[in-house]
Amino acid sequence: MSHGSSILAAMSDPLLEPFALKHLTLRNRIFSSAHEPAYSEDGMPKDRYRLYHEEKAKGGVALTMTAGSAVVAQDSPPAFGNLHAYDDAIVPWIQRLTDGVHEHGAACMIQITHLGRRTSWSHDDWLPVVAPSAIREDAHRSIPKVAEDWDIDRIITKYADAAERMQAGGMDGIEIESYGHLFDAFWSPRTNQRDDEWGSSAEARLRFPWRVLQAVRERVGADFIVGLRMAIDEVVPDGFDTNVGLDILGRLEGEGLIDFVNVIRGSITNDVLLSDIIPIHGMPAAPHLDFTAMVREATNLPVLHASKIDDVATARHSIAEGKVDLVGMTRAQIADPHLVRKIIDGAEHRIRPCVGATYCLDRIYEAGEALCIHNAATSREATMPHDIARAAASRRVLVVGAGPAGLEAARVAGERGHQVTVLEAAPVVGGQVNLAARNPRRVDLVGIVDWRLGELDRLGVELRLDTLADADMVRGIVGGGLVDRADVAIIATGGLPQLPPLEGGEHVVTTWDVIGGDVRPVGQVLLYDDHGRHSALTAAEMIARSGAELEIVTPERMLGIDIGGMNHVPYARAFNETDTRITLNQRVMAVRPELGRMCVEVGSDHSDHRVTRHVDTVVVDHGTTPLDELYFELKPHSTNLGAVDYDAMLNARPQQEIRNPEGTFELYRIGDAIASRNIHAAIYDALRLVKDL
């Protein structure tokens, strides 16, 4: 789009209108809300952290809000890789971050907090967790110490110290976390049951947050931007309701203590409540937008809001209808940090969609880093490109398989300027994504496939469906020295279900059979989950909801061990509502027919004790085994014999392995054709291999 066209787009699109936040002019209405991706090193926002936020600034965002949250004191030990706002050493790192964001035209703020009870004492300095009252939070399970007067005085000062550090580091403002942390725990009757000056009445419960804000304002001055991300209604028994929340907000506004409010509705004390605030796929979009609009009507403060607003149409509606002043598209920008730039360029159709999988958030809890399920460059900006550079010379590339790995390989090769052909045995593309999307709650996963199909069409990639590739066919396409033949073959054929080690495996069916609709178990069903991922629990949910009597058996100490807490919620709800029996720490050892049913021997790694079950159907999940016959047939004819130079790949150098000078093409395999993994691994395989091809 030309510069003139971009100006016209800005004039006509409410999302692209500038907005004045106090003295700060924001270039549009889209922001990235505060969240902790856990990219810190030693509590500092070093290069990985900085580059992640810089990418969004390059991509056109108006404001990127960092941290979720930066902790103000040592007795607020990081639960999510939080930044150490209590340490003077953070100031130069913050300065590097803000300089980088500002260089690309975006504003930068940071959220600060004391986590209170929302953490664990067994981190970092092993200091006791503090809270207004000794009430344990379900999610983190620490029983807090009741904050003493000297704790309260100390923490108030720590908030002011942290705010001063953020100002010294060049931040445009700060946001104080006020839902589920220490700040608002004082003003909520649910968590503050004190009978002293800090909690004996509604007025007393406000004393601590008021003192914090006053101390912060005294330290940073009147011109520095200070706001709250505030739950206006806790929506839980014994918590404060909308009337109380609006009254508190009105008082904050009237006394000039804050410059904006970032509206939240709900509580975060367990995964169920958290998923209502940060909905996953299968849940309604923008569930709190109308509530936020009501808050905006009740205040003159600028109103920000973010909660599953992951598509441009909804974001545009929220601004055009005056529901918010700034709209947060946080997970959407994890999926595509260049989202705003594509709106400006008139290329909304090219925005990589957020599919709501919430792999990003679950990954923080499970593995200590946020990753997008289908953008492997996010958080890896130092080594992985969001914009693919063209190669110096065009090559011909053959990709076999059109699941996530194959489609990504074809996309990246096409962006490199190579001539690409994709062969897919099925009549449709998508591979195992199509299976996952059979769960109605997870249907948005098809966006992973649809976006890549659109990109392949734009890039002129040839896609041949219903084409079962064998070695002779592939060798006729690759190698041979002919100009019109490919010289690189990438095998992305995925995998097929494998059975767990047990006697009588011929008597079981797989979760793929159930999800695909080939088998519909009835009566009594035992599902043996020896994998711990979505495929097992999706099949279990389908069986349970069908009316069958289900028992899930797993050798793990928890159900769905590789599924994070956010995605666990709807599965757990389904199993609870259907009286599904869940058996942990047990293995299926053997299955045999007996009197028209299946006799199942169940044992354990913990002892020699065995029990038997009699059921109508046994369903198993043990991941996949690679569909790799084609790869091994082609391997002897390739120049590299299928080898990947890991040092070259990890250091952004092209593959140059020559192990067979008589070979006529390079050969690689990616995704589940190597080993059973997940969608992110498949896409990452493709990106980091092909980006240097």
Side-chain angles (χ1 to χ4, degrees):
M1 178 179 281
S2 68
H3 179 66
S5 298
S6 297
I7 293 174
L8 288 174
M11 292 173 61
S12 60
D13 191 337
L15 283 175
L16 302 181
E17 295 172 354
F19 181 76
L21 181 58
K22 207 168 185 176
H23 61 272
L24 184 67
T25 299
L26 301 173
R27 59 186 174 183
N28 56 63
R29 299 298 188 95
I30 297 175
F31 78 104
S32 175
S33 62
H35 59 289
E36 189 48 75
Y39 303 150
S40 62
E41 298 174 47
D42 305 316
M44 302 293 124
K46 297 184 181 179
D47 286 348
R48 186 184 187 191
Y49 206 105
R50 172 180 57 82
L51 292 172
Y52 166 71
H53 284 285
E54 277 189 26
E55 198 68 39
K56 286 182 282 189
K58 291 178 189 176
V61 73
L63 163 66
T64 186
M65 191 84 75
T66 63
S69 315
V71 292
V72 303
Q74 292 91 331
D75 63 341
S76 176
F80 321 103
N82 307 67
L83 300 180
H84 295 174
Y86 58 78
D87 189 345
D88 287 342
I90 201 171
V91 175
W93 293 108
I94 292 290
Q95 189 70 66
R96 288 188 67 198
L97 191 160
T98 56
D99 286 348
V101 169
H102 290 153
E103 180 183 346
H104 299 289
C108 191
M109 296 190 192
I110 190 165
Q111 185 182 85
I112 64 172
T113 199
H114 191 295
L115 290 164
R117 65 181 189 153
R118 190 170 171 75
T119 184
S120 172
W121 49 265
S122 59
H123 289 292
D124 284 28
D125 296 310
W126 284 58
L127 294 173
V129 168
V130 296
S133 302
I135 302 170
R136 190 184 75 174
E137 186 209 48
D138 295 340
H140 293 83
R141 304 179 60 251
S142 290
I143 298 175
K145 165 195 173 182
V146 176
E148 299 178 61
D149 51 358
W150 60 270
D151 288 313
I152 292 171
D153 290 341
R154 171 179 55 83
I155 292 169
I156 290 169
T157 300
K158 289 286 189 179
Y159 266 101
D161 292 344
E164 185 176 20
R165 290 187 189 98
M166 300 306 106
Q167 184 181 41
M171 284 289 175
D172 294 299
I174 62 167
E175 174 182 85
I176 294 175
E177 171 76 300
S178 181
Y179 71 109
H181 293 194
L182 185 67
F183 184 92
D184 60 295
F186 270 89
W187 70 30
S188 171
R190 191 169 194 246
T191 48
N192 186 347
Q193 298 176 2
R194 304 171 72 106
D195 58 5
D196 61 3
E197 61 179 316
W198 303 101
S200 58
S201 65
E203 192 69 27
R205 288 196 298 270
L206 296 179
R207 183 168 282 112
F208 173 77
W210 247 250
R211 286 272 306 276
V212 167
L213 288 169
Q214 288 165 349
V216 166
R217 183 58 76 191
E218 287 172 7
R219 192 72 64 86
V220 299
D223 293 334
F224 192 62
I225 297 172
V226 178
L228 286 187
R229 191 169 199 187
M230 177 182 174
I232 304 296
D233 186 336
E234 289 189 290
V235 200
V236 288
D238 305 322
F240 60 83
D241 61 15
T242 301
N243 290 332
V244 173
L246 288 176
D247 177 66
I248 294 172
L249 181 62
R251 295 178 63 175
L252 289 166
E253 179 184 354
E255 295 183 30
L257 290 175
I258 60 173
D259 301 309
F260 69 85
V261 61
N262 189 350
V263 174
I264 287 290
R265 181 172 186 255
S267 178
I268 55 175
T269 54
N270 58 46
D271 289 336
V272 176
L273 295 171
L274 182 60
S275 68
D276 287 334
I277 287 179
I278 311 175
I280 67 172
H281 53 199
M283 299 178 73
H288 308 300
L289 186 57
D290 288 340
F291 177 83
T292 302
M294 179 274 297
V295 175
R296 187 170 184 265
E297 288 292 316
T299 182
N300 291 313
L301 289 168
V303 171
L304 288 64
H305 176 61
S307 180
K308 205 177 188 294
I309 302 175
D310 48 23
D311 66 280
V312 174
T314 302
R316 185 173 286 124
H317 166 77
S318 72
I319 298 295
E321 296 301 315
K323 295 179 182 293
V324 297
D325 294 300
L326 296 175
V327 58
M329 302 188 71
T330 309
R331 281 181 287 179
Q333 288 177 88
I334 293 175
D336 194 337
H338 298 166
L339 178 150
V340 179
R341 189 191 71 192
K342 290 176 181 176
I343 296 173
I344 294 169
D345 290 344
E348 286 180 33
H349 61 286
R350 290 204 54 221
I351 293 172
R352 187 189 312 236
C354 173
V355 297
T358 317
Y359 185 67
C360 50
L361 190 60
D362 279 348
R363 175 85 185 176
I364 296 172
Y365 287 88
E366 304 306 311
E369 61 175 353
L371 296 173
C372 176
I373 193 171
H374 78 126
N375 187 346
T378 291
S379 87
R380 299 187 179 105
E381 284 79 11
T383 57
M384 295 295 121
H386 288 277
D387 288 326
I388 308 298
R390 291 186 71 83
S394 178
R395 303 178 69 182
R396 291 187 63 84
V397 179
L398 175 69
V399 179
V400 183
L407 292 174
E408 178 72 353
R411 180 190 75 86
V412 177
E415 292 278 21
R416 294 282 285 159
H418 300 312
Q419 300 176 62
V420 186
T421 300
V422 182
L423 307 181
E424 169 55 52
V428 295
V429 302
Q432 293 179 51
V433 170
N434 295 329
L435 204 63
R438 292 294 295 267
N439 184 330
R441 291 190 298 97
R442 307 189 75 213
V443 70
D444 286 350
L445 290 175
V446 298
I448 296 170
V449 175
D450 290 346
W451 179 75
R452 285 173 172 78
L453 278 180
E455 290 294 280
L456 297 193
D457 183 63
R458 177 180 64 84
L459 294 165
V461 170
E462 180 185 9
L463 179 61
R464 302 183 195 172
L465 302 178
D466 275 322
T467 304
L468 180 62
D470 58 26
D472 289 338
M473 176 189 294
V474 172
R475 289 181 63 196
I477 297 173
V478 297
L482 298 180
V483 174
D484 62 345
R485 289 182 176 176
D487 58 2
V488 179
I490 298 173
I491 307 303
T493 43
L496 293 174
Q498 64 175 324
L499 301 181
L502 55 83
E503 297 177 27
E506 67 273 19
H507 303 301
V508 306
V509 299
T510 71
T511 53
W512 284 32
D513 296 322
V514 174
I515 299 170
D518 297 320
V519 174
R520 299 182 184 275
V522 296
Q524 291 181 303
V525 182
L526 186 149
L527 188 147
Y528 178 38
D529 177 10
D530 196 22
H531 190 43
R533 294 190 179 165
H534 281 283
S535 52
L537 294 197
T538 286
E541 182 179 0
M542 294 173 73
I543 294 167
R545 293 293 192 192
S546 74
E549 183 181 332
L550 176 65
E551 178 183 8
I552 304 171
V553 175
T554 177
E556 306 294 346
R557 59 185 175 85
M558 60 184 292
L559 183 65
I561 194 165
D562 284 337
I563 296 173
M566 300 290 285
N567 275 285
H568 184 83
V569 170
Y571 291 125
R573 182 177 293 121
F575 302 146
N576 180 257
E577 292 174 353
T578 56
D579 292 328
T580 294
R581 179 179 177 183
I582 297 171
T583 303
L584 306 177
N585 294 319
Q586 301 289 299
R587 290 188 182 276
V588 171
M589 314 300 290
V591 179
R592 62 181 180 273
E594 189 175 285
L595 300 176
R597 304 185 81 204
M598 294 295 160
C599 180
V600 185
E601 183 179 333
V602 178
S604 170
D605 297 335
H606 305 284
S607 74
D608 294 330
H609 181 69
R610 300 285 186 270
V611 296
T612 57
R613 307 271 199 275
H614 290 85
V615 299
D616 297 295
T617 307
V618 178
V619 182
V620 300
D621 194 310
H622 192 65
T624 62
T625 188
L627 192 57
D628 56 12
E629 294 89 346
L630 177 61
Y631 167 81
F632 282 106
E633 287 181 34
L634 293 171
K635 182 176 174 178
H637 306 285
S638 64
T639 56
N640 60 327
L641 298 180
V644 178
D645 182 342
Y646 284 167
D647 287 337
M649 183 176 70
L650 296 176
N651 289 283
R653 299 195 308 270
Q655 295 292 310
Q656 295 180 326
E657 285 277 306
I658 303 294
R659 298 189 172 207
N660 174 24
E662 303 302 316
T664 54
F665 57 92
E666 295 175 31
L667 176 69
Y668 306 101
R669 60 174 170 157
I670 56 177
D672 278 11
I674 300 175
S676 180
R677 289 173 290 164
N678 66 9
I679 292 170
H680 181 88
I683 287 170
Y684 189 24
D685 272 3
L687 175 63
R688 64 179 171 178
L689 176 71
V690 183
K691 73 179 178 63
D692 299 309
L693 191 64

